[in-house]
Amino acid sequence: MTTPLRKDAARNWDRIVAVARALVDQGTPLQLNDVAGRAGLGVGTVYRHFATPEALLETVATPCLEALAAHGRQALADTDPRRALEAFLLRTLEAQVTDASLAPVAAAATDTLPRTTELKEALQSVGTALLDRARDAGAVRRDLAATDLVPLMCGIAYSVNVHGGTPADRLDTAHRYLAALLEGLRATPQHP
């Protein structure tokens, strides 16, 4: 159980995370000294809360990871396996395209915070379960492996980012690209 922060410490933590969120959204790499200056706080204060830029980045990404994990749990309750998988992949892709903190945290080989590891494992587990259900129902290709989903989704997100445009344009492009991918994943009847 963690001890709640004092009010001033909680305000500082919120300010640090807000500044980091803005920097990540601008595409600026996180440097703790820079965050301290922009937050109007001492460097020591930032380092007391976040020992490394990676810990701060993971903290910025945590709400997105939590939302995706919650959506995945909801998708598992859907009785239509294909619809559940598609909804989860769509939500994941939208997060990849709209939250700049997600890609570097998801791609990191190691995590700084135990919560990040827990959330990434939950997402992997739910994604695998949704794919297995869809495959078992004959809704997707039998040769599609769970390990295929992450690179496919990352490829779409990368393509959308290269395509550019306004946030609305990028989401439209993401939806089109995902629709094309999903059509390719559809199981087709075997011909004799």
Side-chain angles (χ1 to χ4, degrees):
M1 183 170 160
T2 60
T3 306
L5 295 174
R6 294 184 333 256
K7 285 184 181 181
D8 62 329
R11 276 192 307 273
N12 290 343
W13 188 93
D14 289 343
R15 189 177 313 154
I16 293 164
V17 173
V19 166
R21 170 89 262 171
L23 290 171
V24 168
D25 290 344
Q26 295 167 8
T28 304
L30 292 181
Q31 297 179 5
L32 297 182
N33 292 356
D34 184 31
V35 171
R38 290 173 188 243
L41 299 169
V43 174
T45 300
V46 174
Y47 277 90
R48 270 193 299 282
H49 288 284
F50 302 99
T52 66
E54 293 79 16
L56 181 52
L57 180 62
E58 289 178 23
T59 299
V60 169
T62 294
C64 182
L65 291 169
E66 288 173 340
L68 286 173
H71 180 73
R73 288 189 300 275
Q74 290 172 339
L76 284 171
D78 190 331
T79 57
D80 182 326
R82 182 168 179 90
R83 182 178 59 216
L85 177 64
E86 287 180 0
F88 178 69
L89 293 178
L90 177 62
R91 183 68 60 94
T92 301
L93 181 59
E94 288 173 346
Q96 287 178 297
V97 170
T98 60
D99 189 332
S101 68
L102 185 59
V105 169
T110 59
D111 303 318
T112 303
L113 305 176
R115 179 71 175 144
T116 304
T117 302
E118 177 186 319
L119 289 167
K120 286 167 67 173
E121 288 173 353
L123 286 170
Q124 179 67 33
S125 175
V126 76
T128 298
L130 288 166
L131 177 61
D132 288 346
R133 280 182 42 198
R135 192 183 318 104
D136 292 345
V140 296
R141 297 168 53 128
R142 293 205 103 12
D143 62 343
L144 183 66
T147 54
D148 296 331
L149 288 180
V150 172
L152 287 170
M153 297 302 290
C154 289
I156 292 174
Y158 178 78
S159 297
V160 167
N161 289 330
V162 167
H163 188 269
T166 67
D169 291 340
R170 292 171 63 230
L171 279 175
D172 286 344
T173 301
H175 289 177
R176 266 195 342 273
Y177 290 179
L178 181 61
L181 172 72
L182 292 172
E183 190 57 37
L185 297 181
R186 188 174 302 278
T188 57
Q190 297 295 322
H191 299 290

